[in-house]
Amino acid sequence: MLYDIRLHLHYDYASAAGGGRHQVRVLPQTIAGVQRVIAASLSFAPTPAERADFSDFFGNNVTAIAFRDAHEELDIRMSARVSVSRPEPGLDVSPDIHGLRAELEAVRSLSPTAPHHFLTASDHAGIDMAITAYAQESLAGSAVATAVDLCNRIHRDFTYDGEATTVQTRASDAFALKRGVCQDFSHIMIAGLRGLGIPAGYVSGFLRTIPPKGKPRLEGADAMHAWVRAWCGRDAGWQEFDPTNGMRASNDHITVGYGRDYSDVAPIVGVLKTTGGQVGEQAVDVIPVAA
């Protein structure tokens, strides 16, 4: 699939910010055998006094910006053309939990993709007894089958509610509410898999949405999406699951970044020299392009 993607982030400040520094993670990345970025651009208004583009530990595209002059708002615009061609899931060659543990112990690497980084508690996805107990009901004959079942159960058992949580909500709180958004469902699944001993991480990106039959696609109605990847053993490797939609990641999923949880791949983080609050808006268009 070939897509044109447009993202607009807008922030209004209650009082003028005298300066600020931010890190922005919104640019899709090229992933061998999965995704290729053909062209991409990222712009800011006002123009930052400093800008640096680099890759973080997990290989995500990061743009660091700094402002010195007073400004009352910030606009971030990203556009990209991306080709996605995910391989179809093959035969399940993943081991059971006991076999996975042995294969995990045999990994002698701390590279960015090493499963050890994704096995213990993180800020948004702590190991929680209630979530682990819930995940244990999904234990099946293999790591992949367990992840598939947990993904489908979260989709079935939890209610999508954009008003129930915030970006600061932890997995345990969303689990107690039994509602939330894609970020929350991903954190719950990550916490559940880690509780079982399956390394799991967070994927930030975009999802093509298909409007109801006979209805036009709404410009800017989409938002950034989140899903889960799980390390399912030496041969199966990393597999990706979308608990919000109860499915494996497909060619409709466009990856921006990988991390232990939302904290590692938040679209924008930083500091401002200001008083009062801020109001943010986000709009995303994911447009299929005819080949």
Side-chain angles (χ1 to χ4, degrees):
M1 291 294 298
L2 188 64
Y3 297 104
D4 280 343
I5 303 167
R6 295 194 296 264
L7 166 71
H8 180 208
L9 301 176
H10 177 79
Y11 298 91
D12 282 310
Y13 306 132
S15 58
R21 288 187 175 273
H22 311 280
Q23 288 190 352
V24 180
R25 289 173 172 84
V26 295
L27 283 168
Q29 57 178 287
T30 293
I31 305 165
V34 174
Q35 178 173 296
R36 181 168 65 94
V37 177
I38 298 168
S41 66
L42 180 62
S43 63
F44 303 91
T47 302
E50 300 175 21
R51 172 173 175 165
D53 298 279
F54 60 95
S55 296
D56 65 16
F57 175 77
F58 293 115
N60 305 317
N61 296 315
V62 186
T63 300
I65 56 174
F67 298 96
R68 299 195 186 95
D69 297 330
H71 55 289
E72 297 180 347
E73 60 182 19
L74 172 61
D75 270 300
I76 302 172
R77 295 183 183 272
M78 188 279 296
S79 62
R81 174 163 288 191
V82 182
S83 173
V84 183
S85 182
R86 293 180 182 270
E88 290 291 329
L91 292 174
D92 183 359
V93 295
S94 63
D96 62 15
I97 292 296
H98 301 293
L100 184 72
R101 186 176 298 116
E103 293 188 7
L104 182 60
E105 291 173 354
V107 176
R108 296 290 187 267
S109 170
L110 288 177
S111 70
T113 59
H116 303 296
H117 300 299
F118 305 91
L119 188 58
T120 57
S122 57
D123 185 32
H124 283 77
I127 305 298
D128 180 272
M129 291 179 60
I131 298 177
T132 299
Y134 176 81
Q136 285 174 335
E137 298 177 25
S138 287
L139 278 173
S142 70
V144 166
T146 297
V148 167
D149 189 74
L150 181 58
C151 173
N152 292 336
R153 287 177 58 225
I154 292 172
H155 173 66
R156 183 184 68 239
D157 296 344
F158 290 75
T159 301
Y160 191 95
D161 183 349
E163 303 298 322
T165 58
T166 70
V167 293
Q168 283 81 35
T169 301
R170 272 37 177 186
S172 56
D173 297 322
F175 182 79
L177 290 171
K178 293 293 187 290
R179 58 183 59 238
V181 295
C182 58
Q183 173 182 316
D184 304 301
F185 303 152
S186 296
H187 285 148
I188 291 168
M189 184 171 175
I190 290 167
L193 291 174
R194 290 175 182 172
L196 297 177
I198 300 176
Y202 188 95
V203 189
S204 170
F206 304 102
L207 175 67
R208 180 180 70 139
T209 57
I210 302 173
K213 187 175 181 179
K215 299 291 185 180
R217 188 182 62 84
L218 298 178
E219 297 291 334
D222 296 332
M224 292 193 73
H225 192 53
W227 59 97
V228 175
R229 66 174 185 160
W231 191 77
C232 297
R234 179 185 59 244
D235 297 322
W238 289 100
Q239 303 285 325
E240 298 186 11
F241 308 88
D242 183 348
T244 305
N245 295 291
M247 63 185 294
R248 303 283 288 265
S250 69
N251 285 340
D252 290 335
H253 293 74
I254 303 107
T255 301
V256 167
Y258 299 118
R260 293 161 297 184
D261 62 27
Y262 173 82
S263 299
D264 288 332
V265 288
I268 180 170
V269 295
V271 293
L272 284 171
K273 184 179 179 182
T274 187
T275 58
Q278 61 179 323
V279 177
E281 299 176 357
Q282 179 184 138
V284 173
D285 289 320
V286 179
I287 306 166
V289 179

